[in-house]
Amino acid sequence: MFPTHRPRRLRQTAQLRRMVRENILTTADLIYPLFAVPGEAIAQEVKSMPGVYQLSIDKIVEEAKQVYDLGIPAVILFGIPDTKDTDATGAWHDCGIVQRAATAIKEQISDLVVIADTCLCEYTDHGHCGYLEVGDLSGRVLNDPTLTLLQKTAVSQAKAGADIIAPSGMMDGFVQAIREGLDQAGFTDTPILSYAAKYASAYYGPFRDAAESSPQFGDRRTYQMDPANSREALKEIELDIAEGADMLMVKPALAYMDVIWQVKTASDLPVAAYNVSGEYSMVKAAALNGWIDEEKVVLETLMSFKRAGADMILTYHAKDAARWLAGS
């Protein structure tokens, strides 16, 4: 009855545990979100996201330099425009806030990978991700007319210097429309990171404070996925792959690690997990109250995304995580 197998043999020392570790988390896995606003010398903390700021372009460049110096390879840009309208003009205009931020970052830190979030909700006066039927207060977006706006937005962002286009509106056919637009404009080498499985989640609340993008009426359940579904996510990724996606994203991450695993298993493409605002804010609130060890919880959570199959992690913890990993 004496045990033949003793798994504890491989756990005896830190070095031995390190040798047999199945997954490794590094700064190369991290992507840091940034929120660009008009003006100068602006660094306005988001009340519901301690440590996260709305930044004017001069401050975004400073932040991007800090991110790069920490060894984080990429940022993703979100924009809050001066004005909003039904045509989401601020999303696709050549002088849009994300376009100007992308250009400024690439001029100063050319090696930093700039990802442009390609969506419309921050730029429409109703807060939804595209055109709506006149008088319809349900939030049902008109799919095909919206594709034209997304195509224009992606091309404008690529012209401004964005290295990667990341469409997040969950419109049917959006990857194909954007791929065609980029190719026709000469950006055949610009990859698409598709928000392939984006759920209609309650975890997005603080982000809508940061991006000032809450819907004025209705909700986004007619275009974002039902949290009850996972097979549907596999259908979505199949479609996006067929349309030309280069990378796939699952959003949110923490409550959807089963989906991350399924997507990774079903595809050979790189998979990103978005550790979203609500996940961040819960950890921050608990840490500020002294209920948890923030460093240990964050690194354990990020490692769990890697274990589930994520190749890249978009996270507001990225800067802190990079410092902690450097000291470990």
Side-chain angles (χ1 to χ4, degrees):
M1 299 298 294
F2 193 83
T4 301
H5 300 287
R6 292 182 178 268
R8 288 180 58 188
R9 289 173 182 147
L10 301 183
R11 304 174 193 156
Q12 294 182 70
T13 68
Q15 286 289 65
L16 187 54
R17 291 191 296 273
R18 182 181 169 206
M19 286 173 62
V20 299
R21 190 160 289 153
E22 297 174 25
N23 294 283
I24 299 173
L25 177 70
T26 74
T27 55
D29 301 316
L30 306 176
I31 298 168
Y32 190 56
L34 292 171
F35 297 93
V37 296
E40 293 183 4
I42 295 172
Q44 177 68 42
E45 188 171 31
V46 180
K47 185 177 180 181
S48 57
M49 299 178 70
V52 174
Y53 294 82
Q54 294 178 330
L55 301 167
S56 54
I57 291 173
D58 55 323
K59 292 293 184 179
I60 270 201
V61 171
E62 292 177 10
E63 187 82 341
K65 288 178 179 177
Q66 186 179 117
V67 168
Y68 181 73
D69 289 343
L70 286 168
I72 298 167
V75 296
I76 183 167
L77 294 177
F78 300 90
I80 300 95
D82 277 317
T83 58
K84 305 186 180 192
D85 56 39
T86 56
D87 292 320
T89 305
W92 49 264
H93 196 283
D94 287 344
C95 293
I97 187 67
V98 163
Q99 286 79 355
R100 289 189 287 127
T103 300
I105 291 172
K106 294 302 291 186
E107 285 176 347
Q108 296 294 318
I109 320 111
S110 60
D111 285 344
L112 185 67
V113 175
V114 173
I115 306 169
D117 178 77
T118 306
C119 196
L120 307 173
C121 59
E122 299 106 303
Y123 307 94
T124 56
D125 50 12
H126 46 68
H128 284 284
C129 300
Y131 284 124
L132 302 180
E133 188 75 54
V134 175
D136 185 353
L137 299 182
S138 69
R140 188 181 297 108
V141 172
L142 297 173
N143 192 93
D144 295 3
T146 296
L147 297 181
T148 301
L149 291 180
L150 291 171
Q151 191 178 71
K152 288 168 62 177
T153 300
V155 170
S156 177
Q157 291 169 339
K159 286 180 179 177
D163 299 293
I164 297 172
I165 300 300
S168 60
M170 289 298 288
M171 295 296 110
D172 294 340
F174 69 161
V175 172
Q176 181 174 320
I178 288 171
R179 184 73 272 157
E180 290 176 353
L182 290 171
D183 290 353
Q184 289 169 9
F187 297 103
T188 55
D189 292 331
T190 300
I192 296 174
L193 167 57
S194 173
Y195 287 65
K198 182 179 180 180
Y199 286 84
S201 173
Y203 283 97
Y204 301 149
F207 172 90
R208 289 170 183 167
D209 293 338
E212 300 179 13
S213 62
S214 296
Q216 298 301 304
F217 48 82
D219 57 39
R220 295 177 178 150
R221 293 181 182 273
T222 65
Y223 44 103
Q224 294 178 359
M225 288 178 53
D226 188 331
N229 296 349
S230 62
R231 290 196 305 271
E232 184 184 8
L234 300 184
K235 179 62 174 178
E236 288 282 2
I237 71 158
E238 287 176 10
L239 293 170
D240 286 2
I241 292 169
E243 292 173 16
D246 300 284
M247 297 174 279
L248 306 168
M249 190 189 301
V250 177
K251 181 182 181 182
L254 190 61
Y256 296 86
M257 282 194 279
D258 62 316
V259 178
I260 297 171
W261 174 253
Q262 291 180 71
V263 170
K264 184 62 177 179
T265 302
S267 168
D268 293 328
L269 296 185
V271 175
Y274 200 139
N275 180 209
V276 299
S277 59
E279 299 165 8
Y280 171 86
S281 294
M282 289 191 301
V283 170
K284 276 292 184 182
L288 289 169
N289 279 285
W291 298 336
I292 60 170
D293 183 315
E294 182 178 3
E295 177 180 345
K296 290 180 179 178
V297 167
V298 168
L299 294 181
E300 181 179 342
T301 301
L302 298 180
M303 180 64 80
S304 73
F305 301 147
K306 289 295 299 288
R307 193 182 66 245
D311 301 292
M312 299 165 283
I313 304 168
L314 294 81
T315 178
Y316 304 96
H317 295 291
K319 291 196 302 178
D320 287 335
R323 295 185 185 102
W324 294 329
L325 289 169
S328 62

